[in-house]
Amino acid sequence: LQGPAARVARHVRGHALVVAGDGATLGVVGDQPDLGRAVRVARAGFGDRLAGRVAAVSAPIDDPRDVEALAAAGLRALWQPGGSARDQD
């Protein structure tokens, strides 16, 4: 199942994180060297606007701390394409 954020993330260059909610894209963080950096940029740039939103990333998240950081910012759902050795985590 893919939502609008996932469809946008597929088209962003580099490691990307797309935040969406209320039927619109809130913002895109793209062309980052890794997803950890994309998460940090999103938290710094979007701040409280992440609360209650959903996000999609362009590559599998290997570090559970990145998911925890997004959850701590109030993100309610996260989509990733899969394929990580840590998908079950």
Side-chain angles (χ1 to χ4, degrees), residues 19 26 45-53 73:
V19 180
L26 172 67
F46 304 131
D48 293 338
R49 293 180 293 164
L50 287 174
R53 307 292 180 155

Side-chain angles (χ1 to χ4, degrees), residues 15-48:
H15 292 289
L17 185 139
V18 177
V19 180
D22 299 326
T25 300
L26 172 67
V28 177
V29 175
D31 205 18
Q32 298 299 313
D34 57 63
L35 285 172
R37 171 85 49 97
V39 167
R40 289 189 296 278
V41 170
R43 288 193 69 198
F46 304 131
D48 293 338

